[in-house]
Amino acid sequence: MRSCPTLTAYGRHYCAPPRRLVSLTFTSLHRHNSAQFLNFSLFTAFRSPFSRMETGTGSTGNKAMVENLKRFGVISSKKVAEVMEALDRGLFVPVGSSAYADTPLPIGYNATISAPHMHAMCLQLLEDKLQPGMRALDVGSGTGYLTGCFALMVGAEGRVVGVDHIPQLVDMSIKNVEKSVAGSLLQKGSLSLHVGDGRKGWGEFAPYDAIHVGAAASEVPHALLDQLKPGGRMVIPVGTYFQELKVIDKSEDGSIKARTETSVRYVPLTSRVEQTGGF
Ligand code: SAH
């Protein structure tokens, strides 16, 4: 049977629905502008088995969320499970939201925190490039949750940079990380969060073993390809309305190979004015 991660992830008995159905059901459906209500209603209509399931509060809820992701086959990596269990998602989402349900959540400024299964998928796709001591860039760091996971993966000897173009989100992400187990890495300087246009990357600590982009680009930004280390990997959603999660590997000789992991729906990688309408 051909591999079909988003569906086998939830233990369905079929594995070849129309591709579009895949994108409208279990992949990352981020609320966005005029399309947001359509997307969200489709998401709730075809949600994953625990997209609305509250799994408890605090570390108990977080642990149950990770257990569900393991049970449904989304998480297969021991390290990714450990890291997601250690970093409480509840500290990164707005108070009162369903922190541990498998669903994206609005975080303000027309942005969302991705669903836990998308974070798990991206962590696993990048795991080999998030080994202790390695360098990672998280473009569109939003709440700082995934950036914090990266920091726990690479540890104190590594270097992780998060970049978002909304200053208020960056301030919030720093506060979120400070409350979490990744707080000491922020303090020691192996993790930092910055305001900037992520389409330009972050030159200061380049090249990176791993680059993750949390917003959909109409095409892969050249600066990000330049800042990817030979032997490194980038995971980036590409497209406008219909988007694909691309896995881009740079070989030691600098040549680039790209493949599509799955269909997704992310907010766009854009300018601050476009995203916020100028407020
Ligand atoms: N990965 C994050 C947020 C995903 S939402 C999380 O899960 O919490 C996408 C994020 O990309 C938003 O926070 C948005 O502000 C940011 N973004 C969009 N375009 C950007 C750009 N050009 N530069 C930096 N950040 C950008």
Side-chain angles (χ1 to χ4, degrees), residues 2-7 10 17-30 43 115 117-118 121-122 125 216 235-247 259-267:
R2 97 187 150 79
S3 132
C4 123
T6 50
L7 287 169
Y10 294 102
R19 192 164 178 73
R20 199 50 54 209
L21 181 61
V22 175
S23 80
L24 293 175
T25 54
F26 305 119
T27 54
S28 185
L29 286 165
H30 294 246
F43 180 78
H117 74 269
M118 279 312 298
M121 183 188 288
C122 291
L125 287 170
V235 171
I236 177 170
V238 178
T240 48
Y241 194 82
F242 297 112
Q243 304 164 3
E244 294 180 321
L245 191 68
K246 299 280 184 193
V247 177
R259 69 174 175 82
T260 299
E261 177 68 17
T262 186
S263 299
V264 287
R265 186 100 187 108
Y266 280 71
V267 301

Side-chain angles (χ1 to χ4, degrees), residues 12 55 142:
R12 295 289 162 129
T55 52

